[in-house]
Amino acid sequence: NAGVMQNPRHLVRRRGQEARLRCSPMKGHSHVYWYRQLPEEGLKFMVYLQKENIIDESGMPKERFSAEFPKEGPSILRIQQVVRGDSAAYFCASSQKGRDSPLHFGNGTRLTVT
Amino acid sequence: GESVGLHLPTLSVQEGDNSIINCAYSNSASDYFIWYKQESGKGPQFIIDIRSNMDKRQGQRVTVLLNKTVKHLSLQIAATQPGDSAVYFCAEDNNAGNMLTFGGGTRLMVKP
């Protein structure tokens, strides 16, 4: 009965390096969402994916950020050439049927850029 | 609405009392709402949801009220316990995109 699994839990990168965040959705869920959260703030939508397709990436910066959800394997959020402002908690959520169904969240990856 | 980076509003209640957490949403087209609880170091945890064709829904110790006229959502927690201490977020599905939009959150502190 595993929930949404994210790894790593903590990730430290130096400026200019790449960060890869992984997310395995709940069993039976084919809709994956990535959100970003700064301390003491709410969650900001980044991207919504279904298997092999990006459905909505309106919340994701156009440069340096990319996301994928391949046919096999976890969803990946990739941040290239990280900057200090990328430091945040990144949460992945999954749902069974997209709209009108609750999102189930993982425990996040806390990215620190030094 | 979304947080602008200020400290979270805090609600402090005595153990055993009832708690009411409020949320104002901005989009009158939103038709699905969810309350989440987030404990320190963890992801948001689903508490209860409500659709716009309802104005009240009850769960175990929790009740969500929806007032579409004034675009207001509230979460009532009965007999609040120390384990209820967390940050609570409301989220809305605005019926236009594919994502939930989260409010800024309220920190609930339960005094023993």
Side-chain angles (χ1 to χ4, degrees):
Chain A
N1 190 26
V4 176
M5 303 300 292
Q6 289 187 252
N7 67 83
R9 287 298 310 276
H10 300 275
L11 182 61
V12 180
R13 285 286 178 268
R14 286 195 294 272
R15 279 180 296 170
Q17 290 185 320
E18 178 180 287
R20 280 188 182 233
L21 288 62
R22 286 176 289 278
C23 169
S24 295
M26 283 181 70
K27 188 176 182 180
H29 288 192
S30 59
H31 301 258
V32 166
Y33 304 77
W34 285 93
Y35 282 78
R36 169 187 158 117
Q37 185 178 38
L38 294 173
E40 299 290 295
E41 291 192 10
L43 287 86
K44 304 287 176 62
F45 168 79
M46 297 181 72
V47 61
Y48 163 40
L49 311 101
Q50 292 184 39
K51 281 288 186 181
E52 299 185 274
N53 290 305
I54 295 175
I55 307 301
D56 186 336
E57 56 183 348
S58 59
M60 197 160 67
K62 296 289 185 284
E63 296 181 356
R64 301 189 299 108
F65 285 72
S66 62
E68 62 177 12
F69 188 17
K71 188 176 180 181
E72 301 290 339
S75 175
I76 306 286
L77 178 67
R78 182 181 177 206
I79 312 173
Q80 294 178 290
Q81 299 173 335
V82 296
V83 301
R84 289 224 171 104
D86 296 332
S87 296
Y90 292 84
F91 288 97
C92 171
S94 71
S95 72
Q96 197 170 33
K97 57 172 182 167
R99 289 205 62 241
D100 288 349
S101 61
L103 303 188
H104 297 270
F105 284 84
N107 281 327
T109 293
R110 275 144 191 86
L111 172 66
T112 302
V113 179
T114 61
Chain B
E2 293 185 350
S3 168
V4 292
L6 301 175
H7 288 296
L8 292 171
T10 298
L11 174 65
S12 186
V13 300
Q14 204 70 38
E15 181 179 357
D17 286 353
N18 297 334
S19 303
I20 300 177
I21 300 171
N22 297 304
C23 176
Y25 63 94
S26 54
N27 194 330
S28 55
S30 294
D31 60 357
Y32 177 56
F33 305 87
I34 308 177
W35 279 101
Y36 284 92
K37 171 187 180 183
Q38 187 176 25
E39 296 173 283
S40 181
K42 295 186 177 180
Q45 176 188 358
F46 171 84
I47 302 174
I48 191 168
D49 58 2
I50 188 168
R51 303 192 188 281
S52 59
N53 61 351
M54 303 172 68
D55 52 22
K56 180 179 179 179
R57 189 161 187 229
Q58 288 185 292
Q60 187 176 15
R61 278 203 308 120
V62 294
T63 302
V64 54
L65 299 177
L66 175 62
N67 185 330
K68 294 181 288 293
T69 304
V70 295
K71 292 186 283 189
H72 183 267
L73 195 67
S74 69
L75 176 70
Q76 300 178 1
I77 304 174
T80 314
Q81 302 169 359
D84 295 326
S85 295
V87 177
Y88 289 80
F89 293 98
C90 65
E92 62 182 294
D93 184 331
N94 65 12
N95 204 28
N98 295 289
M99 78 298 287
L100 294 179
T101 301
F102 281 77
T106 297
R107 186 183 307 280
L108 175 65
M109 296 177 63
V110 182
K111 296 177 287 187

